[in-house]
Amino acid sequence: KAVCLGAAAEDKTFDGCRDAVVSGYVLSGFVGSETVTASSTSALFDTKDAGSDKTVDITGITLSDGTNGGLAANYSVAGSTAVLADITPKALTISGAVGLDKIYDGSDIALLTPADLSGIITGDLSLPRYPNAIGSSGLRKSRQIESAMLAK
């Protein structure tokens, strides 16, 4: 007998890989109080890149004997399914950056000394040593760096 399968995948922070984790299965359509369990051999995001509602393909779904006399051999399920999950952007830490003096020009662009960036996934970004920073314009004022532009 065919059973209905519902699955869920965990959201994750960008790690440079497509690997996904299945957080659970819900099966329905059993005879009486019988149950079986489900497992899979693979779960992969469609791309490694950050984004919302990304497709996760779950493949190699199999059933195992369950409770109350539920035998996997008595039931069938599709061997794959797709669900949605998020990959959130990974935060980077900038340290050692110092703003350089400049002639007042009314803009909010400042140049920084070389900075160290930590938290980069190896091989994912090619970063400049001198990112431009956007702050607030003004004479001789200390400003919080609001953003830095990075090149991919």
Side-chain angles (χ1 to χ4, degrees), residues 141-152:
K141 293 182 179 177
S142 175
R143 297 291 182 196
Q144 174 83 21
I145 296 172
E146 297 166 6
S147 67
M149 293 176 264
L150 305 175
K152 182 170 184 172

Side-chain angles (χ1 to χ4, degrees), residues 120-136:
I120 298 170
I121 302 297
T122 303
D124 191 58
L125 290 176
S126 173
L127 299 171
R129 287 285 291 163
Y130 298 91
N132 290 331
I134 300 173
S136 299

Side-chain angles (χ1 to χ4, degrees), residues 72-83:
N74 294 335
Y75 296 97
S76 65
V77 68
S80 65
T81 192
V83 297

Side-chain angles (χ1 to χ4, degrees), residues 2-55:
V3 292
C4 296
L5 170 77
E10 293 180 6
D11 294 338
K12 73 174 191 173
T13 300
F14 175 78
D15 64 2
C17 299
R18 291 180 51 212
D19 298 336
V21 174
V22 177
S23 57
Y25 298 97
V26 176
L27 296 163
S28 62
F30 299 109
V31 173
S33 62
E34 290 182 359
T35 65
V36 298
T37 60
S39 62
S40 60
T41 58
S42 175
L44 295 173
F45 280 94
D46 55 350
T47 70
K48 67 178 180 63
D49 301 319
S52 297
D53 292 335
K54 297 178 63 66
T55 300

Side-chain angles (χ1 to χ4, degrees), residues 69-112:
L71 299 175
N74 294 335
Y75 296 97
S76 65
V77 68
S80 65
T81 192
V83 297
L84 300 176
D86 299 338
I87 299 177
T88 57
K90 184 175 187 341
L92 300 179
T93 302
I94 300 173
S95 61
V98 176
L100 299 174
D101 291 340
K102 72 174 195 171
I103 297 172
Y104 180 75
D105 62 5
S107 76
D108 60 0
I109 303 295
L111 295 179
L112 304 176

